[in-house]
Amino acid sequence: QVHLVESGGGLVQPGGSLRLSCAATGRTLSNYAMAWFRQAAGKEREFVVAIGWNGGVYYGDSFTGRFTISRDNAKNSVYLQMNSLKPEDTAVYYCAAGGVVVGEAKYYDYWGQGTQVTVSS
């Protein structure tokens, strides 16, 4: 069993940056594909980006350039650096672990509780 805990969310002004972290306990993340999803109020969960065990990255539509995923297997953690944030980036951001690097939530077995990101002036 993998337990994921996200942190780093908060309130940021448009154009600002945030770095989200996802720490895992229970098992090593080194063999898992890791991903970030987000869900805005009243909308469906949306795929942001995923990273494979070997570092290969797969971005969801419209997320290249501003968002960057990274992982530190020694710290059993994955990160999401978000730059040039916009009000439409406001959402709960979730970390997920699974067996393959894909953009569909159903392929991820473990989920964190989410961290709120609010972009507003």
Side-chain angles (χ1 to χ4, degrees):
Q1 193 77 355
V2 177
H3 181 58
L4 303 174
V5 178
E6 301 96 336
S7 61
L11 175 64
V12 62
Q13 291 187 343
S17 298
L18 278 178
R19 186 186 190 223
L20 305 183
S21 299
C22 174
T25 57
R27 287 186 182 178
T28 178
L29 290 183
S30 60
N31 296 326
Y32 286 90
M34 300 299 300
W36 288 94
F37 289 77
R38 72 183 188 183
Q39 187 166 17
K43 296 187 177 181
E44 294 185 353
R45 190 165 296 191
E46 179 181 27
F47 170 68
V48 178
V49 62
I51 186 168
W53 62 270
N54 60 354
V57 177
Y58 172 50
Y59 283 94
D61 293 341
S62 76
F63 290 106
T64 54
R66 295 191 302 123
F67 290 17
T68 303
I69 191 172
S70 61
R71 66 190 301 162
D72 186 338
N73 290 335
K75 294 183 178 180
N76 227 25
S77 296
V78 65
Y79 307 97
L80 181 65
Q81 177 68 42
M82 305 185 294
N83 299 324
S84 302
L85 285 163
K86 306 173 182 180
E88 51 264 42
D89 294 317
T90 296
V92 178
Y93 285 72
Y94 297 91
C95 170
V100 292
V101 179
V102 293
E104 297 178 61
K106 66 181 181 180
Y107 291 102
Y108 291 88
D109 303 310
Y110 304 103
W111 292 81
Q113 82 291 347
T115 185
Q116 176 71 46
V117 172
T118 302
V119 185
S120 175
S121 56

